[in-house]
Amino acid sequence: MVNNQTIDAKILSRMFLAGAKNLEAKKEWINELNVFPVPDGDTGTNMTLTIMSAAAEVSALVDADMETLAKAISSGSLRGARGNSGVILSQLLRGFTRSVSKSETLDAPAIAAAMEKAVETAYKAVMKPKEGTILTVAREAAAMATELAEDAEDLESYFAAIFAHAEDTLARTPDMLPVLKEAGVVDSGGQGLLEVLRGAIDGYLGKEVDYSTFGKSAGASVTKISPQAEADIKFGYCTEFIILLDKEMPEEEERSFKQFLTSIGDSIVLVADDEIVKVHVHTNHPGQAIERALTYGALSRMKIDNMREEHQEKLIKDAEKLAREQAEQEAKDFGFISVSAGNGLTNIFKELGVDYLIEGGQTMNPSTEDMLNAIAKVNAKTIYIFPNNKNIVLAANQARDLTEDKEIIVVPTKTIPQGITALISFVPEKSARENADAMAEAITKVQTGQITYAVRDTRIDDKEIHEGDIMGIGDHGILAVGQDKNQVVLDTVAAMMNGESEVISLYYGADIPEAEAETLASTLEEKYPDCEVELNMGGQPIYYYVVSVE
């Protein structure tokens, strides 16, 4: 029966997991709310991977108190955060859990205070908060929670009123952010937060939610450097034994026993013959498996291994090995970590001296955990990180804030060409801060255009766009729309040119033949004889061309 006045750690855990599950179920729909009709909308994916990282830790807990639960939610979401929306969600969860961690139960005023702390924490994480976003939805939900807290008669109606106000706020986001209104969508991050709240309320009311995918989902990484997949162990004890049957086990009873094991674990092997049954199961409750087995006969060859302990030992050995390897190499003064997408771009960054490359970008934003793993593998006193995507900067900043033994400088590069220019601007003889300032100055002189296709009809920046159209997207909006890739490139470059432009760099993608790119480069040389035109194989997905003007 639902407690109408307070929630404890068990109920909060159920609410959190239900919220995560509902977000996961809606992620593709949320992706499609992207303002720009490009094939890389990833808000839903980023928020889902962020919350699933925490859900994996929560689902592995057994009879956790509020402090343990809070730590699992906070650390899991912080390290798993991807993209701006994921980082903001992780900060909301961080603030909320900080507020509740010392409580045994939460009533309406305590929940309101935690929601206010969540909003305060998230706003601090964003340099220039915009209204009409996930932050607005969170702030308005918290304000309503505070307004109603003292007079709340029961939590069911309290939660319903908060959700209704959050839903109304989301519906009004197009009036707060003109770009949403023009595109005809609500804010995708706000919609993601609403789905978390919707699922959490379902969890509070006791609606059935299937948690079986959490352990596997959270480990899935869209980059290639993270060992996170092995880090989340849902069931901690590898349990094996043989039952010496008192009497033959009928097939119906065998199925019943197997169903019981499935309810308490996974990785089940059950082999029965006339006299014995061999059992293998991964579970958090080996005693329950043994107790049920004893109803069929005596047990033999019992073996229970703590897989989490074994995993921790492996992590310690791996860490010791890494420490030894790094100790053998004297730390450099400066190191570089860059995000890249495409073989050609990766080779360019390597030639420019990047120590560690994280594969990522649009549709595959690296997590804070990915950044931390990269930082651990670069043996340098000062490390520069080049996110090369506006949706990765916050995750890089979060990794910087979680690193204590090295100086981390995040150069806020929002495009690949900006990252390349920043690296070229580095001068070893200058101090870390002098270089950071020089890089920040250099990237302000780089204009970037990205050429891709539209996935739906819309109107944005006073341009009518139809599904299948080719678009040139600049630093601040749509620069060109057309049917021909090459013409859209030419129109995009024309929109970026000014009297001081000297260099045009063209990076062709995985789907563009080299000969076609060379012809386009020649056309640019003829059109702009006073500019140097550089052609490079980028190999990037989704974007036919990335072009910069400096």
Side-chain angles (χ1 to χ4, degrees):
M1 184 176 178
V2 173
N3 181 333
N4 282 327
Q5 300 297 325
T6 63
I7 59 176
D8 58 14
K10 185 177 181 179
I11 296 172
L12 182 60
S13 175
R14 187 174 73 219
M15 292 175 68
F16 175 75
L17 292 174
K21 186 63 178 176
N22 191 52
L23 175 62
E24 183 191 42
K26 307 289 179 55
K27 67 180 178 182
E28 293 303 333
W29 171 54
I30 294 167
N31 284 342
E32 292 173 5
L33 293 175
N34 195 27
V35 169
F36 290 115
V38 293
D40 61 9
D42 50 12
T43 298
T45 299
N46 284 336
M47 293 183 75
T48 296
L49 288 170
T50 298
I51 203 167
M52 283 301 193
S53 177
E57 293 197 23
V58 171
S59 62
L61 298 175
V62 180
D63 297 328
D65 58 16
M66 196 72 78
E67 187 171 9
T68 305
L69 174 63
K71 184 178 180 180
I73 293 174
S74 180
S75 65
S77 61
L78 283 173
R79 299 180 77 87
R82 297 172 189 270
N84 293 346
S85 55
V87 171
I88 292 170
L89 177 60
S90 75
Q91 291 294 327
L92 287 169
L93 293 171
R94 182 189 186 196
F96 186 95
T97 55
R98 273 185 173 179
S99 180
V100 305
S101 64
K102 301 301 182 184
S103 304
E104 291 186 8
T105 60
L106 307 175
D107 57 9
I111 292 167
M115 292 179 69
E116 293 284 8
K117 185 65 176 178
V119 171
E120 177 189 334
T121 305
Y123 266 87
K124 285 180 180 178
V126 180
M127 290 283 290
K128 297 178 181 178
K130 283 186 179 180
E131 293 309 316
T133 66
I134 180 176
L135 289 170
T136 307
V137 176
R139 190 192 68 232
E140 285 298 306
M144 180 57 69
T146 300
E147 181 181 333
L148 301 176
E150 292 299 332
D151 298 323
E153 295 182 1
D154 63 85
L155 290 183
E156 182 175 348
S157 58
Y158 180 60
F159 289 150
I162 294 170
F163 182 83
H165 186 64
E167 193 170 35
D168 179 65
T169 302
L170 178 67
R172 291 187 287 106
T173 55
D175 296 326
M176 305 176 205
L177 207 54
V179 69
L180 294 175
K181 191 162 193 174
E182 190 176 18
V185 295
V186 296
D187 179 67
S188 54
Q191 186 71 63
L193 179 61
L194 199 70
E195 297 313 317
V196 174
L197 295 175
R198 192 195 309 272
I201 293 171
D202 285 346
Y204 171 74
L205 296 174
K207 293 185 180 180
E208 289 296 321
V209 181
D210 177 12
Y211 304 148
S212 62
T213 61
F214 286 159
K216 294 177 182 177
S217 298
S221 175
V222 292
T223 65
K224 294 184 177 179
I225 71 157
S226 175
Q228 203 171 349
E230 69 174 11
D232 298 314
I233 298 173
K234 183 176 181 181
F235 296 109
Y237 296 96
C238 176
T239 306
E240 297 177 84
F241 50 82
I242 291 175
I243 308 172
L244 306 175
L245 292 172
D246 291 335
K247 59 183 179 181
E248 185 175 339
M249 179 182 284
E251 286 186 10
E252 184 177 346
E253 188 59 36
E254 182 181 333
R255 284 195 299 272
S256 175
F257 186 32
K258 188 175 287 187
Q259 286 175 356
F260 171 77
L261 293 175
T262 301
S263 73
I264 64 168
D266 65 5
S267 300
I268 293 157
V269 178
L270 192 153
V271 181
D273 66 14
D274 294 344
E275 298 178 353
I276 68 169
V277 178
K278 184 172 182 179
V279 177
H280 172 280
V281 59
H282 291 174
T283 178
N284 288 324
H285 305 286
Q288 292 181 16
I290 290 170
E291 193 170 316
R292 178 67 176 263
L294 284 169
T295 65
Y296 303 121
L299 303 186
S300 174
R301 300 188 187 177
M302 297 172 63
K303 182 171 175 283
I304 301 173
D305 293 323
N306 186 330
M307 294 189 294
R308 292 192 183 96
E309 188 173 82
E310 291 175 355
H311 178 65
Q312 288 300 319
E313 289 175 359
K314 181 180 184 302
L315 290 181
I316 291 168
K317 288 179 181 177
D318 289 347
E320 289 174 346
K321 180 182 177 184
L322 178 62
R324 284 196 302 271
E325 290 174 351
Q326 290 194 343
E328 291 170 1
Q329 302 174 352
E330 185 177 349
K332 301 188 299 178
D333 288 330
F334 300 107
F336 305 96
I337 295 169
S338 178
V339 177
S340 179
N343 294 336
L345 296 172
T346 293
N347 288 334
I348 291 170
F349 281 119
K350 285 180 179 177
E351 290 169 3
L352 291 172
V354 171
D355 297 281
Y356 201 95
L357 283 148
I358 302 174
E359 185 174 334
Q362 291 299 94
T363 73
M364 45 183 179
N365 296 154
S367 67
T368 299
E369 179 78 22
D370 292 333
M371 297 284 183
L372 291 170
N373 289 334
I375 289 169
K377 293 178 181 178
V378 176
N379 192 18
K381 299 171 185 175
T382 300
I383 299 174
Y384 295 91
I385 299 179
F386 305 94
N388 300 335
N389 186 298
K390 65 181 181 181
N391 209 29
I392 301 176
V393 174
L394 284 182
N397 288 342
Q398 196 150 275
R400 175 199 62 203
D401 296 341
L402 291 171
T403 301
E404 298 178 353
D405 59 336
K406 300 172 183 176
E407 181 184 13
I408 307 299
I409 297 176
V410 177
V411 183
T413 53
K414 296 179 180 179
T415 65
I416 290 288
Q418 284 187 354
I420 291 171
T421 296
L423 275 160
I424 291 172
S425 304
F426 178 78
V427 178
E429 290 74 25
K430 291 184 178 180
S431 70
R433 184 44 53 192
E434 286 173 336
N435 270 307
D437 292 342
M439 290 176 182
E441 172 67 21
I443 64 178
T444 64
K445 300 175 182 177
V446 181
Q447 295 188 74
T448 304
Q450 301 180 87
I451 315 302
T452 188
Y453 60 93
V455 295
R456 68 170 188 271
D457 295 348
T458 190
R459 179 179 178 81
I460 192 167
D461 294 336
D462 292 325
K463 292 181 174 63
E464 289 289 341
I465 300 170
H466 301 286
E467 182 178 350
D469 281 353
I470 307 299
M471 302 178 296
I473 304 173
D475 294 324
H476 304 292
I478 305 289
L479 298 180
V481 178
Q483 299 294 319
D484 179 78
K485 290 192 289 289
N486 290 349
Q487 187 58 50
V488 171
V489 172
L490 295 174
D491 292 344
T492 299
V493 171
M496 293 192 293
M497 293 293 289
N498 59 49
E500 298 178 357
S501 301
E502 297 178 347
V503 180
I504 301 171
S505 299
L506 193 63
Y507 305 89
Y508 61 95
D511 298 326
I512 300 297
E514 183 179 1
E516 181 180 324
E518 288 175 344
T519 300
L520 179 59
S522 297
T523 302
L524 287 168
E525 287 174 342
E526 293 172 7
K527 190 171 182 179
Y528 303 104
D530 295 333
C531 285
E532 180 183 352
V533 177
E534 298 179 349
L535 177 65
N536 297 280
M537 193 280 283
Q540 68 274 5
I542 298 175
Y543 292 89
Y544 301 121
Y545 291 97
V546 173
V547 58
S548 68
V549 174
E550 301 177 56

